[in-house]
Amino acid sequence: MIITKLKELLSISYGTLAHTAGHLPLKELTAALQNYNIEFVQLALSKAIADIDLSPGKLSPGLASHIGEQFDKAGIRIGVMGCYINPVHPDPIVRRAEIDRFKETIRYARQFGAPMVATETGALTTYKELDPYRYEEIGWEALKSTIEELAEEAEKWGVFIGLEGVSHHTLSTPDKMRRILDEVPSSTLGVVLDPCNLIGEAIEEQDALVDSCFKLFGDRIILAHLKDIYQEGSRVYHGQAGAGLFHSADFLRKLHEYKPGIDISLEDTPGPYINEAVARLNRMFSI
């Protein structure tokens, strides 16, 4: 009995993007998500909830708590707030609006029931037209400045910031993820590890890249995203988890070794295939 309970405690929790079920009124959304074999969602407010004005400045403790309560009644956690901004936007006015939107989400994350707010980091080539030689350096300084400000806000509210690397974004490699963690030494910063996004088209190098992620920042991973990689001729694309070229079983074992019980959000897996994907992944990995 004790061993069974321990296995239940340490098992990996699967979730999905809330808007996988559609852009719906709140109660319809939570009802639709109950059809999926998931434990949590990543909630991007404007993409998921259709019947409430959630534009910047509209949040309040009461509204955030109400939304969180509706998910709780449906038996679904809000595991992460998805507030995907462009932290290196070249227009300072637009970037300021993006930063302020993210900070607002940080302030109310706990009322939603979420311990973290996640974002990607903007295109690697954002400043290439401005300076074709120093564009990566310029983008890095913009990113660092933004993350420093967001980390300061997150520290006030006891919320994690989840940074997601992508092969063509400012945080394009595992080494760059390690660098931002070193240069912004805040305990609020964590990693949203999406291995397929970091692999890009380098399919044959996937094992080395995944191992590098765990070696460089395995202790800082706070959420994983999981999809799969497919190839048709020269075309490489992403699709439902566990049925493509990504070494999902190996990844799950390594992830559990570093972060037992971590949440995994399924991406690029349409609603009708989520339960099938969860069952497939559970067959691949068991404690």
Side-chain angles (χ1 to χ4, degrees):
M1 181 66 176
I2 293 175
I3 293 175
T4 300
K5 289 296 183 182
L6 182 60
K7 286 185 176 183
E8 290 175 358
L9 177 66
L10 296 178
S11 63
I12 290 173
S13 298
Y14 292 103
T16 191
L17 306 172
H19 56 275
T20 298
H23 186 231
L24 299 170
L26 179 57
K27 291 188 177 181
E28 291 181 28
L29 178 69
T30 56
L33 288 166
Q34 286 180 301
N35 294 317
Y36 304 156
N37 186 19
I38 57 170
E39 296 185 36
F40 75 96
V41 291
Q42 177 169 317
L43 178 61
L45 293 169
S46 61
K47 291 183 178 181
I49 300 173
D51 60 338
I52 302 173
D53 183 358
L54 294 164
S55 56
K58 298 295 185 180
L59 287 179
S60 67
L63 177 56
S65 296
H66 169 70
I67 292 171
E69 287 165 3
Q70 297 307 307
F71 278 88
D72 186 60
K73 287 178 182 178
I76 301 170
R77 284 187 291 116
I78 300 176
V80 52
M81 300 299 295
C83 187
Y84 279 57
I85 64 171
N86 183 354
V88 298
H89 198 288
D91 185 329
I93 296 175
V94 174
R95 187 160 77 243
R96 171 46 51 193
E98 294 276 83
I99 291 170
D100 289 346
R101 179 164 64 90
F102 198 97
K103 289 169 77 172
E104 181 182 29
T105 307
I106 286 173
R107 291 195 293 274
Y108 293 103
R110 290 292 185 180
Q111 271 69 48
F112 285 104
M116 69 185 82
V117 186
T119 185
E120 293 175 352
T121 60
L124 182 63
T125 56
T126 296
Y127 292 93
K128 193 167 186 177
E129 288 189 13
L130 176 67
D131 190 327
Y133 301 103
R134 295 182 57 254
Y135 69 92
E136 288 192 45
E137 180 183 345
I138 297 169
W140 184 267
E141 290 305 315
L143 175 66
K144 182 180 175 181
S145 175
T146 297
I147 298 304
E148 286 174 335
E149 182 175 346
L150 296 181
E152 182 179 1
E153 187 73 14
E155 287 168 358
K156 297 175 183 176
W157 296 91
V159 174
F160 288 104
I161 295 173
L163 297 177
E164 182 178 351
V166 181
S167 62
H168 54 277
H169 285 187
T170 310
L171 290 185
S172 57
T173 67
D175 285 330
K176 288 181 179 179
M177 181 65 77
R178 180 67 256 176
R179 179 184 170 190
I180 198 68
L181 294 174
D182 290 339
E183 292 189 6
V184 185
S186 170
S187 59
T188 65
L189 294 186
V191 177
V192 176
L193 178 57
D194 187 325
C196 293
N197 275 356
L198 282 169
I199 290 164
E201 296 187 358
I203 301 173
E204 295 181 357
E205 300 172 19
Q206 62 174 290
D207 293 330
L209 185 140
V210 167
D211 286 344
S212 179
C213 289
F214 286 115
K215 179 181 178 181
L216 291 171
F217 49 78
D219 61 324
R220 301 292 291 274
I221 301 168
I222 56 176
L223 177 73
H225 284 174
L226 189 57
K227 54 174 72 79
D228 217 318
I229 303 172
Y230 297 82
Q231 186 168 16
E232 293 180 356
S234 61
R235 176 177 172 244
V236 176
Y237 63 97
H238 292 154
Q240 64 171 296
L245 299 174
F246 180 60
H247 300 162
S248 298
D250 288 341
F251 174 71
L252 290 173
R253 283 192 291 271
K254 292 170 184 175
L255 185 63
H256 180 73
E257 177 185 344
Y258 279 83
K259 291 290 180 178
I262 195 169
D263 283 346
I264 299 179
S265 181
L266 302 182
E267 292 196 329
D268 291 307
T269 302
Y273 301 99
I274 286 178
N275 292 347
E276 175 186 321
V278 170
R280 183 188 304 118
L281 294 168
N282 280 333
R283 289 193 297 271
M284 287 182 183
F285 175 80
S286 60
I287 298 172

